[in-house]
Amino acid sequence: MVESIFKRLQEIYPEMVNFRRELHMYPELSHQEENTPKKIADFLSQLGLEVRVGVGGRGVVAILRGGKPGKTVGLRADFDALPIQEENDVDYKSRIPGVMHACGHDIHTAALLGVAKALAEVKETIAGNIVFIHQFAEEVIPGGAKPMIEDGCLDGVDVIYGAHVSSIHPVGTIGVKEGATMAAGDTFEIDIFGKGGHAATPHLTIDPIVIGSQIIVNLQQIVGRKVDPIKSAVVSVAAFNSGIGFNVIPDKAKITGTVRTFDEDVRDMIESLIGEMVESTCKGSGATATYKYVRGYPAVKNHPEETKRIEKIANHLFGQANVKQLDPQMGMEDFAYYLQKVPGTFFFVGGNSDLVEKYPHHNPKFDVDERSMLDIGKLFVSAVFDYLSNEVIEESELIET
Ligand code: NI
């Protein structure tokens, strides 16, 4: 079964390429996706699947009901683009000024549609159901995952898989990681209110620049002296704004920054520590302050059993040497929300080759080898059969390129 579906995926591959290039030429920004979800829904409807649009806002969810009873697998792809002017010289270059698929979400979408087509053709033989989750707005906070879950996209789903193409890793390789894989990302804002005055008479003022500087220095102790060294975190001040001229001590200052963590207890501790440091520093200097901590996406925590399943499948498909154990990354992904609800795993599929130049994600020259779509497709299809029917791919002859 798996073998014949791989053959179908190969035959469907040119269609995936066309769909990907169409998306690439007409990218749409997060929360502004209109034609993208329409195109996705049209494609899925033509396959005879039950399609729901406007899920949680702009999401598209399709259900494939297998011919036999069984469990339900969720597969997720995101479809938003970025506010970047494309600099690639390719015939499928973005036609929309200042908007570009510079993270590969066009690849994810087209790969998942190919999987939907291949599986829809054999639905009578499938023991269980498959839910295709096409998510809007992954690149911004708040993203699309949370509202889509609230709107029922995970109802009845027993397990979920998601993949991200990687321009850093070569095509034909995969990166997996159990447990905390991507960080929780939060932001903070501290407004300090002192008392302005002449810079020549500082004793008559309450200087928010000096107080702000003390706070920034104190914040450096959090990671260095408060977080368990076995755990990890980032506390970065990214902006410190105050003042207007050489002879005026201003009356206020503003500090903003980001916090990245993998553990909820570390996250909670840092949130309250920053507040305590702001309060105590201001207290000693006569200033007042407001402190705002805004939580972004939680950490992506891959479930061990499902990560092992993908690893096992990848070993068979790509060979053990091409399956890498990844280090945790400080980047964010709202796939985290799905994993808070159901078991699953989020993995990385190599997209770099001689066919494309090597640029990082979110770069104006980002591009990936489209064969990565076939790899994502094979991994998803294999995960579905492995999970639903315990149909393990054992034979090495199944490894195709
Ligand atoms: Ni991305």
Side-chain angles (χ1 to χ4, degrees):
M1 169 58 75
V2 176
E3 193 174 15
S4 61
I5 288 201
F6 281 3
K7 220 174 136 238
R8 262 315 272 152
L9 276 177
Q10 204 102 38
E11 287 159 10
I12 293 166
Y13 176 62
E15 225 178 310
M16 291 189 215
V17 171
N18 284 342
F19 204 99
R20 182 261 164 159
R21 292 185 179 192
E22 174 77 13
L23 290 181
H24 197 88
M25 285 193 279
Y26 301 100
E28 293 180 302
L29 291 173
S30 318
H31 296 290
Q32 295 174 38
E33 307 96 331
E34 276 186 25
N35 291 321
T36 308
K38 254 186 227 149
K39 285 177 203 162
I40 294 167
D42 282 352
F43 188 97
L44 293 165
S45 301
Q46 278 169 21
L47 302 177
L49 305 186
E50 292 167 37
V51 181
R52 195 152 71 91
V53 295
V55 182
R58 295 169 184 270
V60 182
V61 175
I63 302 176
L64 184 157
R65 295 191 197 279
K68 300 174 219 164
K71 291 193 166 182
T72 299
V73 179
L75 301 172
R76 178 269 207 169
D78 42 13
F79 60 68
D80 55 331
L82 287 156
I84 293 172
Q85 176 64 46
E86 177 155 18
E87 287 176 18
N88 284 313
D89 190 17
V90 287
D91 55 6
Y92 52 89
K93 182 179 174 165
S94 171
R95 307 295 199 257
I96 311 296
V99 187
M100 176 189 177
H101 270 293
C103 195
H105 298 187
D106 49 347
I107 292 277
H108 306 161
T109 301
L112 188 56
L113 291 176
V115 169
K117 182 162 182 166
L119 290 175
E121 290 172 357
V122 295
K123 68 176 174 196
E124 288 313 314
T125 64
I126 296 173
N129 310 306
I130 298 131
V131 177
F132 299 93
I133 300 168
H134 286 273
Q135 188 201 311
F136 65 107
E138 187 281 324
E139 297 284 4
V140 294
I141 296 168
K146 211 166 173 227
M148 284 188 75
I149 294 167
E150 284 160 5
D151 199 2
C153 78
L154 284 183
D155 290 358
V157 171
D158 297 298
V159 70
I160 188 161
Y161 303 104
H164 207 299
V165 69
S166 164
S167 71
I168 309 302
H169 298 100
V171 76
T173 66
I174 172 176
V176 294
K177 165 97 179 67
E178 275 181 36
T181 302
M182 298 183 81
D186 305 329
T187 55
F188 62 85
E189 274 181 35
I190 302 160
D191 286 286
I192 304 152
F193 305 97
K195 187 177 157 196
H198 202 293
T201 55
H203 59 295
L204 301 177
T205 71
I206 297 171
D207 188 345
I209 294 180
V210 174
I211 297 160
S213 305
Q214 282 171 348
I215 290 172
I216 291 170
V217 171
N218 288 343
L219 293 184
Q220 309 311 312
Q221 290 181 44
I222 295 178
V223 175
R225 286 293 172 271
K226 299 287 183 188
V227 175
D228 180 343
I230 301 302
K231 298 185 172 181
S232 57
V234 171
V235 177
S236 286
V237 170
F240 180 25
N241 292 304
S242 184
I244 40 159
F246 79 97
N247 57 355
V248 180
I249 288 174
D251 58 358
K252 52 182 187 283
K254 188 181 190 76
I255 297 167
T256 51
T258 187
V259 173
R260 304 287 165 113
T261 52
F262 291 105
D263 302 274
E264 271 314 289
D265 55 337
V266 176
R267 192 183 197 188
D268 291 342
M269 182 186 75
I270 292 177
E271 176 175 359
S272 55
L273 268 178
I274 296 176
E276 285 164 27
M277 285 177 169
V278 170
E279 206 185 315
S280 62
T281 313
C282 286
K283 219 178 202 171
S285 346
T288 57
T290 57
Y291 165 52
K292 203 165 101 187
Y293 190 93
V294 181
R295 292 192 170 219
Y297 298 157
V300 172
K301 292 203 169 159
N302 283 333
H303 295 243
E305 201 183 321
E306 295 312 322
T307 309
K308 284 193 185 90
R309 187 190 309 279
I310 294 294
E311 188 183 345
K312 173 189 73 180
I313 290 165
N315 280 336
H316 285 295
L317 285 176
F318 306 129
Q320 213 161 346
N322 294 313
V323 182
K324 315 247 182 282
Q325 294 295 328
L326 295 178
D327 289 327
Q329 298 177 40
M330 284 296 171
M332 292 187 271
E333 215 337 311
D334 68 352
F335 195 79
Y337 290 114
Y338 302 106
L339 293 178
Q340 285 183 337
K341 299 278 176 196
V342 292
T345 196
F346 188 70
F347 52 92
F348 293 82
V349 176
N352 185 254
S353 80
D354 294 341
L355 297 181
V356 286
E357 287 192 69
K358 200 171 176 175
Y359 286 96
H361 290 247
H362 297 207
N363 184 289
K365 292 194 170 195
F366 168 87
D367 202 3
V368 289
D369 189 320
E370 289 168 325
R371 287 175 296 174
S372 54
M373 291 190 287
L374 210 42
D375 291 341
I376 293 173
K378 287 177 181 177
L379 287 158
F380 274 168
V381 161
S382 304
V384 165
F385 282 99
D386 194 272
Y387 184 85
L388 292 180
S389 342
N390 229 349
E391 224 180 290
V392 190
I393 325 151
E394 296 285 7
E395 293 107 279
S396 56
E397 59 263 30
L398 289 185
I399 301 170
E400 315 170 21
T401 49

